Amino acid sequence: MRKEDKVSVIAQLSEKLNEYAHFYLVDVTGLNSEQTSNLRRKCFEKEIKMVVVKNNLLIKALDNHEVDFEPLYGCLKGNTAVMFCNVANVPAKLLKEVTDKKTTIPALKAAYAEESFYVGAENLEALCAIKSKKELIADVVALLQSPAKNVISALQGNGGQLIHGLLKTLEEREA
């Protein structure tokens, strides 16, 4: 590969690192062309950008970033594909779905998600459990609505008659 091509690839990878909040390093060794095509198709459907890279070029792109990605460098051996995404748990769920149980390929090497490093395939379950920003907001809204729903259901049910009677008694005492 010519030096100009390498500089171009490093620049493209650096651009992707700035564009996407999360990325996964995946071992794709042993995938045939049909399996690779299926994986790419599923990535496209889930808005994941998958790029197969040379490890040395990826290291240089990571070095250009303001975050210190050194914990990931030990994983950059063999064939590496990078999955870029904006929702942290989507690639983990995809990998769990498509991983062949016999060969465990494609396999998670490492990930940078929610500003944390996850090194090793054993972290796949933890990455699947990460909630997206939208999911966290939905949980907070549900928690905030819960007390209001309880009061409304109490007023609408038999408890409403009880509360009405209690309020009427208090009103009569004051009068």
Side-chain angles (χ1 to χ4, degrees):
M1 183 182 279
R2 295 185 343 227
K3 185 173 183 167
E4 297 85 24
D5 295 337
K6 289 179 183 179
V7 170
S8 173
V9 169
I10 292 169
Q12 289 171 355
L13 287 171
S14 295
E15 188 178 301
K16 294 276 185 242
L17 288 169
N18 290 327
E19 182 181 346
Y20 293 96
H22 317 285
F23 66 89
Y24 285 57
L25 303 176
V26 180
D27 181 6
V28 291
T29 305
L31 289 182
N32 62 31
S33 61
E34 180 184 353
Q35 292 168 323
T36 304
S37 292
N38 288 337
L39 180 59
R40 286 183 184 277
R41 188 175 305 109
K42 288 181 181 183
C43 285
F44 179 77
E45 290 169 0
K46 299 194 184 272
E47 298 180 5
I48 300 169
K49 176 74 175 164
M50 185 174 118
V51 182
V52 178
V53 297
K54 290 189 174 233
N55 295 325
N56 289 335
L57 299 180
L58 180 58
I59 289 172
K60 289 181 182 180
L62 292 172
D63 284 341
N64 290 340
H65 205 270
E66 63 261 9
V67 178
D68 181 17
F69 291 111
E70 196 168 335
L72 303 177
Y73 293 172
C75 300
L76 294 173
K77 293 176 176 61
N79 292 339
T80 304
V82 184
M83 294 178 155
F84 295 100
C85 61
N86 283 319
V87 180
N89 64 359
V90 173
K93 290 178 180 178
L94 175 67
L95 286 172
K96 190 173 181 181
E97 174 188 324
V98 301
T99 300
D100 181 6
K101 303 302 179 210
K102 297 171 194 160
T103 61
T104 65
I105 297 293
L108 175 69
K109 288 182 175 185
Y112 177 74
E114 297 297 341
E115 299 179 2
S116 298
F117 298 103
Y118 298 86
V119 179
E122 65 275 1
N123 290 307
L124 188 60
E125 288 298 324
L127 288 163
C128 287
I130 291 176
K131 291 192 176 193
S132 69
K133 184 177 180 179
K134 288 181 182 178
E135 291 170 328
L136 288 173
I137 290 171
D139 287 350
V140 169
V141 169
L143 287 172
L144 292 174
Q145 286 181 340
S146 179
K149 284 182 181 178
N150 291 340
V151 170
I152 290 171
S153 66
L155 290 173
Q156 289 175 341
N158 290 338
Q161 294 172 352
L162 179 66
I163 292 174
H164 177 70
L166 181 62
L167 291 174
K168 190 165 190 125
T169 305
L170 290 174
E171 180 184 350
E172 290 172 0
R173 277 189 186 172
E174 289 181 9

